[in-house]
Amino acid sequence: MNILHTVEDCRSFRHTHRQKTLGLVPTMGALHEGHLALIRLAQQKADRVVVSIFVNPLQFGPREDFSRYPKPLDNDLAACESEGVSAVFLPDQTLMYPDAVRTLVHPPVEYTGKLCGLSRPGHFEGVATVVMKLFNIIQPDIAVFGEKDAQQLALIQKMVRDLNCPIEIIPHPIVREAGGLALSSRNRYLTTPEEQTAALILSQTLFEIQSQFTVNSKPISVPAGLQSAYHKALEKNEPAQAHFQLEYLEALDAMSLMPVDTLRAGVRIFMAGTVHRTRLIDNILLLR
Ligand code: AMP
């Protein structure tokens, strides 16, 4: 497995494999089964796979967990090696952001001015900018992104369309624990059994909405239908009643992120909240 530190390393890797299709899986490390599933999908779609590991300071707010974000690099490299990854790109901050004055990618406000964009100003500009840089440095043919971060996925797809990036974006469904919790590097902050149970309120609410949508032939209106499903799930989850703070629960068109009045297939339900200081996000794409 190649370890790439510089832009020159990446260019030379790309040149060596110029006859091959190249897949990129961008990550911030602390790899879990969700990331590994993305890597396996990339391997099905491309001849060679590069995983990037970079905790991007540009996408963290001043009071967020940038400095305490987990960095188990040895474990991550071992995981990539055992998955048969061709190369890992490990840039440092000065390589990614050499100048204090810099060009940023600003996705449209229709994509950033809602959901996580409201509580995390500048977050998606940071994401779009780093992803564009990774695309330019690695020059992949495809890139795999998780539906776990569905707002991010939608605005990366928009950026690729709008700016003609010569890259196919391949989504991967959310990987969950057996109990329903979406895997996340931040789940390790949930240390007590109470916190872990409270965190299940996200998937419990989303699954409740999906099941009401499946059984109900009458239209389910937004936001009332979402709120009643949330309260139904909350009744059954006592730790969440005490420890979960809802940030948003919204139904939007999955591609355009435009609001909808009633639920239909192709709508994504987005949910976020905190269990003590741990912020969690989840979503579900409604299917008939
Ligand atoms: P991160 O390291 O958190 O920036 O995530 C890197 C990539 O992995 C992003 O495309 C995420 O959407 C994806 N990802 C993280 N957790 C999951 C999950 N539980 N299921 C599917 N994809 C995920």
Side-chain angles (χ1 to χ4, degrees):
M1 187 172 75
N2 294 269
I3 304 293
L4 313 173
H5 288 287
T6 64
V7 175
E8 292 70 33
D9 291 345
C10 295
R11 289 282 145 80
S12 138
F13 178 84
R14 190 66 191 104
H15 185 74
T16 307
H17 300 278
R18 62 191 173 283
Q19 310 288 22
K20 305 288 183 187
T21 55
L22 190 58
L24 171 65
V25 181
T27 80
M28 297 203 298
L31 303 182
H32 51 64
E33 274 300 319
H35 296 111
L36 302 188
L38 268 58
I39 291 171
R40 289 172 201 144
L41 180 59
Q43 285 167 330
Q44 285 170 29
K45 303 279 180 182
D47 302 321
R48 301 282 182 273
V49 170
V50 176
V51 173
S52 62
I53 300 180
F54 179 60
V55 184
N56 174 31
L58 224 55
Q59 69 189 68
F60 286 78
R63 280 180 298 281
E64 292 183 357
D65 57 347
F66 175 67
S67 55
R68 66 183 182 118
Y69 199 84
K71 292 186 187 66
L73 184 58
D74 292 346
N75 288 356
D76 288 351
L77 292 179
C80 289
E81 179 95 61
S82 72
E83 288 299 323
V85 164
S86 300
V88 178
F89 179 42
L90 293 176
D92 64 17
Q93 276 198 50
T94 45
L95 175 90
M96 293 301 272
Y97 302 115
D99 302 328
V101 175
R102 53 180 84 103
T103 305
L104 297 177
V105 179
H106 284 270
V109 70
E110 286 78 359
Y111 287 75
T112 60
K114 55 189 63 165
L115 307 175
C116 294
L118 294 179
S119 62
R120 307 188 72 186
H123 170 70
F124 288 117
E125 286 74 13
V127 169
T129 302
V130 82
V131 168
M132 182 58 103
K133 286 175 69 78
L134 291 169
F135 285 175
N136 289 334
I137 294 170
I138 311 276
Q139 303 185 357
D141 301 289
I142 64 138
V144 180
F145 288 85
E147 290 182 21
K148 164 79 173 21
D149 299 281
Q151 185 176 13
Q152 163 178 293
L153 171 65
L155 66 87
I156 297 294
Q157 287 173 316
K158 175 74 174 150
M159 175 182 86
V160 164
R161 263 198 317 281
D162 285 351
L163 302 183
N164 302 94
C165 301
I167 294 166
E168 185 191 351
I169 303 300
I170 299 178
H172 190 289
I174 299 179
V175 179
R176 299 179 181 279
E177 286 178 5
L181 183 67
L183 297 189
S184 165
S185 308
R186 291 187 171 104
N187 291 352
R188 67 188 68 195
Y189 302 148
L190 302 167
T191 47
T192 67
E194 276 218 309
E195 290 177 335
Q196 286 155 6
T197 305
L200 295 176
I201 191 66
L202 290 105
S203 56
Q204 288 163 346
T205 302
L206 296 169
F207 295 163
E208 174 62 29
I209 294 168
Q210 170 68 70
S211 84
Q212 286 189 11
F213 177 66
T214 312
V215 298
N216 243 322
S217 48
K218 279 186 287 171
I220 300 177
S221 64
V222 177
L226 307 185
Q227 285 302 321
S228 79
Y230 172 54
H231 288 291
K232 193 168 167 196
L234 207 52
E235 271 170 29
K236 296 187 208 149
N237 186 332
E238 271 187 29
Q241 294 167 22
H243 304 296
F244 182 73
Q245 182 84 42
L246 180 65
E247 183 182 316
Y248 61 69
L249 175 59
E250 283 184 48
L252 304 174
D253 179 83
M255 285 300 285
S256 69
L257 300 187
M258 282 299 154
V260 297
D261 297 329
T262 53
L263 299 187
R264 57 169 166 75
V267 162
R268 203 183 280 281
I269 315 295
F270 295 81
M271 186 169 181
T274 48
V275 174
H276 296 150
R277 283 177 62 214
T278 306
R279 187 169 180 279
L280 301 166
I281 61 169
D282 201 348
N283 69 84
I284 199 165
L285 181 67
L286 292 182
L287 301 170
R288 259 300 170 211

